[in-house]
Amino acid sequence: MSARLRYDGVAMTLHWAMAAAILGLLASGFVMIGLKPGSAQQFQMYQTHKSVGITVLALTLLRLGWRLAHRPPSLPDTMPAWEQAVAHAGHWALYGLMLAMPLAGWAVVSTSPYNIATVLYGLLPLPHLPLPRDLNGAAKLAHLIGAWLMVATLLGHVGAALRHHLLLKDEVMARMLPRFRRDS
Ligand code: HEM
């Protein structure tokens, strides 16, 4: 496959690093809310979750900038127009969620009645957003609904990629995979 048919190295690195971070955030989020309230383990897990979540926010801004400045390879002509439209809508939904989820999480901690400080990776204090306390319930609900929307969108995204790779046997998924062999 020629280079113009593939995503570039920056897009691929951001894609796979963020995929790993987001899967970790979804798993840690659902686990940590079930831990003993006030325990050291819960505190530590929240701090790690918040640190990685804010990193995802920063990487999303970087990724959006890169995406707008670098045209991605186009989808194959063999794909019907409606399928291409669904694929594009799915990608933009993921960008939206990658921005909205960290912002909603940040709003949760900023409006929390416990007023717990966030120190990213134990090094960098994160200020609270200037939001009224009574938004806490809405922020928590937005973060929870966003998490399930993200799970649903990711299942569609991964399912579509696997369909292209295993059933249609086209190059759509390979364009986002690093090339390990010179001749591949
Ligand atoms: C892509 C980014 C993120 C994802 C996918 C994510 C995912 C999740 C999930 C699945 C949960 C459990 C469900 C829930 O109660 O909402 C959760 C909870 C939570 N997250 Fe996130 N999160 C992200 C970013 C952040 C950020 C940036 C912060 C804070 C700076 C944060 C703070 C929290 C807090 C405080 C909770 C507990 C909410 C509660 O007690 O009800 N999250 N997150």
Side-chain angles (χ1 to χ4, degrees), residues 18 21-34 42 46-57 60 97-110 112 114 118 120 126-127 136-137 139-148 150-151 154:
M18 291 179 72
I22 288 168
L23 289 180
L25 285 163
L26 288 169
S28 67
F30 287 124
V31 169
M32 74 190 191
I33 55 170
Q42 192 195 46
Y46 269 63
Q47 289 293 335
T48 306
H49 181 91
K50 293 187 282 184
S51 302
V52 177
I54 292 296
T55 307
V56 164
L57 178 61
T60 303
L97 287 165
M98 288 188 299
L99 280 178
M101 277 302 283
L103 289 175
W106 194 356
V108 172
V109 293
S110 302
S112 165
Y114 304 115
T118 300
L120 303 177
L126 178 78
N136 189 246
K140 278 182 165 184
L141 188 63
H143 201 58
L144 182 61
I145 293 175
W148 284 110
M150 197 152 209
V151 169
L154 284 176

Side-chain angles (χ1 to χ4, degrees), residues 2-184:
S2 76
R4 67 193 170 78
L5 294 176
R6 301 172 56 78
Y7 281 91
D8 58 67
V10 173
M12 271 188 222
T13 306
L14 285 169
H15 177 275
W16 292 110
M18 291 179 72
I22 288 168
L23 289 180
L25 285 163
L26 288 169
S28 67
F30 287 124
V31 169
M32 74 190 191
I33 55 170
L35 294 177
K36 192 166 163 245
S39 64
Q41 195 193 11
Q42 192 195 46
F43 178 80
Q44 192 46 55
M45 212 158 168
Y46 269 63
Q47 289 293 335
T48 306
H49 181 91
K50 293 187 282 184
S51 302
V52 177
I54 292 296
T55 307
V56 164
L57 178 61
L59 291 179
T60 303
L61 295 175
L62 186 69
R63 189 168 172 187
L64 270 172
W66 190 266
R67 169 68 173 72
L68 295 173
H70 299 81
R71 227 179 122 80
S74 40
L75 290 165
D77 296 338
T78 47
M79 252 175 98
W82 71 267
E83 242 181 75
Q84 298 204 15
V86 172
H88 287 133
H91 296 159
W92 286 107
L94 283 171
Y95 281 117
L97 287 165
M98 288 188 299
L99 280 178
M101 277 302 283
L103 289 175
W106 194 356
V108 172
V109 293
S110 302
T111 55
S112 165
Y114 304 115
N115 195 23
I116 296 172
T118 300
V119 184
L120 303 177
Y121 302 104
L123 295 171
L124 190 66
L126 178 78
H128 286 333
L129 294 169
L131 295 171
R133 283 273 138 85
D134 54 13
L135 275 187
N136 189 246
K140 278 182 165 184
L141 188 63
H143 201 58
L144 182 61
I145 293 175
W148 284 110
L149 283 177
M150 197 152 209
V151 169
T153 316
L154 284 176
L155 284 176
H157 181 72
V158 174
L162 289 176
R163 172 174 170 260
H164 278 281
H165 197 62
L166 302 174
L167 298 179
L168 305 177
K169 298 190 193 302
D170 60 24
E171 304 285 9
V172 168
M173 186 168 150
R175 306 165 338 150
M176 194 46 106
L177 297 175
R179 239 185 324 204
F180 294 111
R181 283 179 14 211
R182 270 166 171 273
D183 59 342
S184 60

